[in-house]
């Protein structure tokens, strides 16, 4: 055979056996092919066990419960449930007749994937309202609630309820001190729609706040069928409505509030009249400053001066009255208890940015009051005014008169907050209960004023929440005015007077006591509200989830 014939492939099989472009160099030569039925599968791993050794390997392997082993019975059809806790996954149910605040708050505290699916809602529109218009309505409602002093969690719950009432699921509202925003994502593959609104003006009008709550309650009612145009109309009507009480009634109420507070700290008829006149004059001066566009800081500073000036005048004239009670009554009419309670509530519910902003606002108001009172007290002491800081330490216990004064104080506080007339009676009774509990614990049982204030404020929050759930309304009108008799007016005055008399240490101690009393009021109100929610029957989802303790990291 020639050399050329040796280079020529002898057959197609031979060409396939050593042509690298056709087959692998590991190909089995012709005639040595091994039957596939008896060998290893070409698709198995190199770490697979030979046949016949599975049983022994399984006996020596790790148990099925190991994280590195699949169960030997594992299959796609019979796969075990993933991420299932030992106690099982509880079914989330919400009772439909529960107040919308509790239902929405419960769902807001759930992860998005665990929220109950939205039930189909039948509306008068053929294809439902446009998403931007629903988001705009939601932001307008949230703006009225936040501007009226409602807590950030309740504002988010209301916004979430409005969106769900118009069929928008997968919504996430966000509330800060001055900014509202809401995001709606139709599905996982569609772009989200986001809208925001800035709250620039704040005003205290609990009548408007109650009207907004009724609107949200009607929107969440499946039988009401409130259209989008009707909801916009009701919102416009709320904005156009005047306040329920005229300006002269508010000025008179501030005077009565200061007079009732002076009676709580031992004042008589003359002190009552003097404190009322000082508070009314300060209120008119504050209205004048507001009309000139001055910030609230200066309004509080100016409003605190007339009661302090009247008290100093009594001291210079050597009139046998408690001048300290006059000044203390004027302070009661100015202390920002509403903003303090809202700020602490936001902090306790996890809205720390909003809580910090509210508490900073309270601090500015308090500093304004301090500057106004200290200015008058300093000049009064310099020109020979004899103000005794210990005069408020020995307050006589007059239970009947003090209870009546506390009820008058709560009533006038409710008028200043522009509450509905139907809620004034309830909050008046709640204020009387608060002072009765405080007097029984502090004056009779000799318990510390901080602990007595906390218990009394807790009862205020408890009764306020129960009354609000009974009427399906906000809890603020039933709680804010009722804590008026508990505000730390005397401790604030004692600290300011001590500082004015160059006794800074005693003054700082008394101001620290005032801060402790204020925190006790706010925490007590919030704790009473939480206790009331524990007694409400709102389904298995009523066990609201909360953040775990971080232990400082």
């Amino acid at each position: 055979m020639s050399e050329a014939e040796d280079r020529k492939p002898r057959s197609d099989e031979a060409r396939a056996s050593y042509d690298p472009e056709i087959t692998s160099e590991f190909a089995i030569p012709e005639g040595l092919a091994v039957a596939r039925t008896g060998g290893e599968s070409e698709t198995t791993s190199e770490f697979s066990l030979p046949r016949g050794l599975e049983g022994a390997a399984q006996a020596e392997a790790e148990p099925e419960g190991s994280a590195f082993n699949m169960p030997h019975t594992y299959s796609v059809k019979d796969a075990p449930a993933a991420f299932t806790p030992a106690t099982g996954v509880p079914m989330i149910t919400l009772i439909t007749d529960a107040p919308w605040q509790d239902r929405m708050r419960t769902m807001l505290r759930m992860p998005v994937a665990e929220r109950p699916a939205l039930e189909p809602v039948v509306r008068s529109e053929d294809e439902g309202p446009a998403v931007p218009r629903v988001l705009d309505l939601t932001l307008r409602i949230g703006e009225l609630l936040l501007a009226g002093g409602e807590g950030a969690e309740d504002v988010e719950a209301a916004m979430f309820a409005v969106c769900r009432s118009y069929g928008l699921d997968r919504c996430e509202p966000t509330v800060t001190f001055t900014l509202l925003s809401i995001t709606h994502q139709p599905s996982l593959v569609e772009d989200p729609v986001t809208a925001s609104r800035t709250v620039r003006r704040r005003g205290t009008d609990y009548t408007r706040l109650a009207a907004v709550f009724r609107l949200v309650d009607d929107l969440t009612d499946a039988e009401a069928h409130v259209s989008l145009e009707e909801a916009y109309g009701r919102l416009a009507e709320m904005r156009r409505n005047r306040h329920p009480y005229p300006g002269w009634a508010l000025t008179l109420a501030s005077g009565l509030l200061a007079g009732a507070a002076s009676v709580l700290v031992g004042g008589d008829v003359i002190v009552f009249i003097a404190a009322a006149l000082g508070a009314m004059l300060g209120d008119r001066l504050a209205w004048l400053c507001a009309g000139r566009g001055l910030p609230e800081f200066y309004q509080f500073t100016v409003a605190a001066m007339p009661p302090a000036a009247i008290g100093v005048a009594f001291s210079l004239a050597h009139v046998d009255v408690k001048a300290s009670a006059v000044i203390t009554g004027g302070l009661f009419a100015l202390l920002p208890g509403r903003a303090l309670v809202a700020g602490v509530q936001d902090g306790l519910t996890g809205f720390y940015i909003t809580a910090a902003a509210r508490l900073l606002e309270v601090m500015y108001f308090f500093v304004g009051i301090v500057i106004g009172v200290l200015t008058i007290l300093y000049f009064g002491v310099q020109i020979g005014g004899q103000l005794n800081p210990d005069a408020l330490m020995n307050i006589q216990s007059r239970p009947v008169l003090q209870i009546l004064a506390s009820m008058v104080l709560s009533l006038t506080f409710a008028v200043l907050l522009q509450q509905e007339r139907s809620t004034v009676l309830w909050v008046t009774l709640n204020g009387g209960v608060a002072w009765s509990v405080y007097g029984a614990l502090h004056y009779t049982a000799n318990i510390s004023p901080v602990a007595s204030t906390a218990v009394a404020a807790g009862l205020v929050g408890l009764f306020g929440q129960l009354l609000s759930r009974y009427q399906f309304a906000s809890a603020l009108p039933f709680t804010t005015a009722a804590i008026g008799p508990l505000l730390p007016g005397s401790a604030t005055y004692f600290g300011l007077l001590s500082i004015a008399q160059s006794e800074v240490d005693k003054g700082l101690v008394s101001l620290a006591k005032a801060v402790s009393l204020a925190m006790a009021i706010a925490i007590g109100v919030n704790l009473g509200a939480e206790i009331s929610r524990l007694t409400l029957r709102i389904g298995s989802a009523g066990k609201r989830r909360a953040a775990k303790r971080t232990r400082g990291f």
Side-chain angles (χ1 to χ4, degrees):
M1 183 178 295
S2 64
E3 185 177 353
E5 291 177 350
D6 290 337
R7 293 196 204 103
K8 181 180 180 181
R10 286 184 290 271
S11 64
D12 294 338
E13 291 80 1
R15 187 186 303 113
S17 63
Y18 56 79
D19 191 347
E21 296 181 355
I22 297 177
T23 184
S24 171
E25 60 184 336
F26 298 103
I28 300 176
E30 185 181 2
L32 297 180
V34 181
R36 294 180 179 273
T37 56
E40 295 180 356
S41 173
E42 294 182 1
T43 59
T44 58
S45 170
E46 58 183 301
F47 300 103
S48 60
L49 295 176
R51 293 185 61 185
L53 297 181
E54 290 88 344
Q58 185 176 353
E60 298 177 1
E62 296 178 22
E64 292 183 2
S66 172
F68 305 97
N69 258 11
M70 283 291 185
H72 68 279
T73 58
Y74 181 85
S75 65
V76 176
K77 183 181 298 185
D78 301 323
F83 305 105
T84 303
T87 58
V89 178
M91 183 179 64
I92 300 175
T93 59
L94 292 174
I95 296 178
T96 57
D97 58 351
W100 63 266
Q101 301 99 304
D102 297 319
R103 290 186 282 119
M104 297 302 115
R105 187 183 294 108
T106 300
M107 284 189 285
L108 275 176
R109 295 192 178 186
M110 298 178 186
V112 178
E114 298 182 11
R115 291 174 183 170
L118 182 63
E119 299 179 358
V121 179
V122 180
R123 293 290 176 188
S124 58
E125 294 85 357
D126 296 336
E127 298 180 358
V131 172
R133 295 198 67 197
V134 174
L135 298 184
D136 179 70
L137 175 68
T138 303
L139 291 174
R140 291 176 183 272
I141 290 177
E143 179 189 11
L144 289 178
L145 293 176
L146 187 62
E150 193 66 62
E153 187 180 30
D154 292 326
V155 175
E156 282 196 358
M159 295 171 64
F160 189 69
V162 173
C163 286
R164 287 182 66 90
S165 65
Y166 285 104
L168 298 187
D169 201 3
R170 304 179 66 87
C171 290
E172 287 296 334
T174 304
V175 175
T176 58
F177 185 60
T178 58
L179 181 65
L180 299 169
S181 64
I182 187 165
T183 301
H184 167 63
Q185 188 172 10
S187 65
L188 294 177
V189 297
E190 296 182 68
D191 295 333
V193 181
T194 303
S196 62
R197 195 174 183 90
T198 303
V199 180
R200 303 189 184 276
R201 295 187 60 186
R202 299 178 182 274
T204 303
D205 190 344
Y206 282 2
T207 299
R208 181 179 297 172
L209 189 70
V212 176
F213 262 75
R214 284 193 293 268
L215 174 59
V216 178
D217 187 48
D218 292 340
L219 289 174
T220 56
D221 189 358
E223 299 179 357
H225 300 295
V226 180
S227 65
L228 194 65
E229 298 299 331
E230 184 180 354
Y232 267 110
R234 291 176 61 176
L235 271 182
E237 184 179 358
M238 294 175 197
R239 292 181 177 274
R240 287 194 304 265
N241 284 345
R242 294 177 176 268
H243 297 303
Y245 305 102
W248 63 267
L250 299 180
T251 301
L252 181 60
S254 64
L256 292 177
L257 189 153
S262 66
V263 174
L264 285 179
V265 294
D268 52 12
V269 178
I270 298 178
V271 171
F272 179 93
I273 297 174
L277 291 177
M280 287 190 289
L281 181 59
D283 182 75
R284 286 293 91 189
L285 291 176
W287 276 95
L288 182 63
C289 294
R292 296 296 184 269
L294 290 178
E296 286 185 291
F297 175 84
Y298 302 106
Q299 297 176 30
F300 274 83
T301 302
V302 171
M305 290 182 175
I310 293 178
V312 171
F314 278 157
S315 176
L316 292 174
H318 301 286
V319 180
D320 189 16
V321 297
K322 286 189 175 181
S324 57
V326 177
I327 304 176
T328 303
L331 291 177
F332 267 89
L334 296 175
L335 293 178
R338 172 182 58 87
L340 175 67
V341 172
V344 175
Q345 179 183 357
D346 289 340
L348 294 176
T349 52
F351 294 85
Y352 300 114
I353 296 177
T354 307
R358 289 186 190 270
L359 293 178
L360 184 62
E361 181 187 39
V362 171
M363 186 192 73
Y364 271 104
F365 292 162
F366 189 76
V367 170
I369 297 171
V370 167
I371 292 175
V373 175
L374 269 182
T375 302
I376 302 298
L377 292 181
Y378 176 78
F379 285 107
V381 171
Q382 295 300 318
I383 62 178
Q386 300 295 326
L387 295 171
N388 183 13
D390 297 329
L392 292 177
M393 302 301 294
N394 300 318
I395 301 176
Q396 297 179 356
S397 178
R398 299 174 294 178
V400 178
L401 186 59
Q402 288 177 331
I403 291 175
L404 292 177
S406 66
M407 295 176 68
V408 173
L409 193 153
S410 298
L411 187 149
T412 52
F413 203 173
V415 173
L416 289 175
L417 295 174
Q418 303 281 359
Q419 290 189 198
E420 292 181 307
R421 292 177 175 84
S422 60
T423 63
V424 170
L425 177 61
W426 293 108
V427 74
T428 301
L429 296 176
N430 203 6
V433 170
W435 182 261
S436 299
V437 173
Y438 171 80
L441 293 177
H442 179 55
Y443 294 112
T444 304
N446 293 324
I447 299 177
S448 68
V450 176
S452 303
T453 301
V455 174
L459 288 179
V460 168
L462 175 63
F463 293 155
Q465 284 290 336
L466 294 179
L467 288 172
S468 67
R469 292 305 185 269
Y470 176 74
Q471 298 189 3
F472 289 87
S474 172
L476 286 181
F478 299 98
T479 57
T480 305
I483 65 172
L486 304 177
L487 292 176
S490 58
T492 303
Y493 165 74
F494 183 83
L496 297 180
L497 182 58
S498 298
I499 293 176
Q501 294 177 343
S502 301
E503 298 179 359
V504 181
D505 294 339
K506 292 177 61 177
L508 292 179
V509 170
S510 183
L511 290 179
K513 178 182 177 182
V515 172
S516 301
L517 291 173
M519 294 297 294
I521 292 173
I523 295 175
V525 170
N526 182 264
L527 181 60
E530 295 295 330
I531 292 175
S532 69
R533 291 192 184 105
L534 293 177
T535 63
L536 296 175
R537 179 175 174 267
I538 57 175
S540 60
K543 299 177 180 179
R544 304 183 302 165
R545 298 189 175 187
K548 293 183 178 179
R549 186 163 62 93
T550 59
R551 296 182 178 87
F553 54 83

